[in-house]
Amino acid sequence: MERISLNCKKNVKITEAFTNFQRNNELKNLASQTIKANRDKFKKFQKFLDDDDFLIGNVNKTLINQYTISLKSEGIKASSVNIYLKHMRIFLNWCATNGYCKKIDISLLKEDEEIKEPYTEGQLRKLLVKPDINKCTFAEYRNWVIVNFLLSTGVRRNTLVNIKIKDLDFENDLIKLTTTKNRKQQLIPIGSTLKNILIEYINFRNGDKEDALFCSATGTKLTPEGVNKAIREYNYKREVYDTGLHKFRRTFATMAVKNGIDAFKLQKLMGHRSIKTTQKYVNLVIGDLQDDYEKYNPLDNFIKENSKEHIKLK
């Protein structure tokens, strides 16, 4: 006689399993952007399956490989494909742990290491020119302040939009970051240039202490997408066609290194858990490597230190 089984997860739809996965993430109090990212990446897999009744127990290595090939066929670069796969791996590992499916080994694609350039000095000169306050709109002036803020602090987009006026401590020259990727509040210094810019901006902004520092022309809090759009338009207007906000973060890190910052101080300022993450942002372009190259090149130094008169060929 067949024994009664308590395994009630045998024929669960993948959509139901994902709903339970997300509910668990909410109970764990994961960041809202993480919840949203999970949902967006799962929708991609749903589209690939094209079957709302697909059972989670039928997901296997072959299916994941087919999904990987499908992503690549769309022209998605390897690093982006890996992001989709990492989200699936987290979801399926949770499913395996909770008895929805068997453990599946998901392999990531090998990525070509891409050199991501910071903004050039020429681009920064264009972006940092202050607009004429007597002629420009509040939005253009605010965007100029944001560009200065990003270059001076290297904060992430989501951190930026959640800074409140009360988080600025001009007396002690500090900024409190309440919304960070690792969910730990952080204090960072305000440089003198940025401090003067923010003091002037606050006078125009004229909000309450609890209000968002950066707002729309009507005083409402900017969204991450709104900041993207605003800075893209600002950059285009100044004939700078590199528009990613993260590029300011990379520029902050690279220029700080050129100016002699200690790597561990940079790690602290950028809020990285690992120094390895910080090192990824440090990109010295070939021109920087050529500067004073002979001063530290082993061969040049050895020859100088051991120079003797050589036999000349006639």
Coordinates of all heavy atoms in Angstrom, one line a residue, residues 68 72 76-79 81-82 85 107-111:
T68 N 19.8 30.3 -21.4 CA 21.0 31.1 -21.6 C 21.3 31.3 -23.1 O 21.6 32.5 -23.5 CB 22.2 30.3 -21.1 OG1 22.0 30.0 -19.7 CG2 23.5 31.0 -21.2
K72 N 21.5 35.0 -25.1 CA 22.6 35.4 -26.0 C 22.1 35.7 -27.4 O 22.7 36.6 -28.1 CB 23.6 34.2 -26.0 CG 24.4 34.0 -24.7 CD 25.4 32.9 -24.9 CE 26.5 33.2 -25.9 NZ 27.5 32.1 -26.0
I76 N 22.3 40.1 -26.0 CA 22.6 40.5 -24.7 C 24.0 40.2 -24.3 O 24.4 39.0 -24.5 CB 21.6 39.9 -23.6 CG1 20.2 40.3 -24.0 CG2 22.0 40.4 -22.2 CD1 19.1 39.7 -23.1
K77 N 24.8 41.1 -23.8 CA 26.2 40.8 -23.6 C 26.3 39.9 -22.4 O 25.4 39.8 -21.5 CB 27.0 42.1 -23.3 CG 26.5 42.9 -22.2 CD 27.4 44.2 -22.1 CE 27.0 45.1 -20.9 NZ 27.8 46.3 -20.8
A78 N 27.5 39.2 -22.3 CA 27.7 38.1 -21.3 C 27.5 38.6 -19.9 O 26.9 37.9 -19.1 CB 29.1 37.6 -21.4
S79 N 27.9 39.8 -19.5 CA 27.8 40.3 -18.2 C 26.3 40.5 -17.8 O 25.9 40.2 -16.7 CB 28.5 41.6 -18.0 OG 28.0 42.6 -18.9
V81 N 23.8 38.8 -19.3 CA 23.2 37.4 -19.2 C 23.5 36.8 -17.9 O 22.6 36.2 -17.2 CB 23.9 36.5 -20.3 CG1 23.5 35.0 -20.1 CG2 23.4 36.9 -21.7
N82 N 24.7 37.0 -17.3 CA 25.0 36.5 -16.0 C 24.2 37.1 -14.9 O 23.9 36.4 -13.9 CB 26.5 36.8 -15.7 CG 27.4 35.8 -16.5 OD1 27.0 34.7 -16.9 ND2 28.7 36.1 -16.6
L85 N 21.1 35.1 -14.9 CA 21.3 33.7 -14.4 C 21.5 33.8 -12.9 O 21.1 32.8 -12.2 CB 22.6 33.2 -15.1 CG 22.4 32.9 -16.6 CD1 23.7 32.3 -17.2 CD2 21.3 31.9 -16.9
S107 N 25.7 27.4 -14.4 CA 27.0 27.9 -14.7 C 26.9 29.3 -15.4 O 26.0 29.5 -16.2 CB 27.8 27.0 -15.7 OG 27.9 25.7 -15.1
L108 N 27.8 30.2 -15.0 CA 27.8 31.6 -15.6 C 28.7 31.6 -16.8 O 29.6 30.8 -16.9 CB 28.2 32.6 -14.6 CG 27.4 32.7 -13.3 CD1 28.0 33.8 -12.4 CD2 26.0 33.0 -13.6
L109 N 28.5 32.5 -17.7 CA 29.3 32.7 -18.9 C 30.6 33.4 -18.5 O 30.7 34.2 -17.6 CB 28.6 33.6 -19.9 CG 27.2 33.1 -20.4 CD1 26.7 34.1 -21.4 CD2 27.4 31.7 -21.1
K110 N 31.7 33.0 -19.2 CA 32.9 33.7 -19.0 C 32.8 35.1 -19.7 O 32.3 35.3 -20.8 CB 34.1 33.0 -19.7 CG 34.4 31.7 -19.0 CD 35.7 31.0 -19.6 CE 36.1 29.8 -18.8 NZ 37.3 29.1 -19.4
E111 N 33.3 36.1 -18.9 CA 33.1 37.5 -19.4 C 34.5 38.1 -19.8 O 35.5 37.8 -19.1 CB 32.5 38.4 -18.3 CG 31.2 38.0 -17.8 CD 30.7 38.9 -16.7 OE1 31.1 40.1 -16.7 OE2 29.9 38.4 -15.9

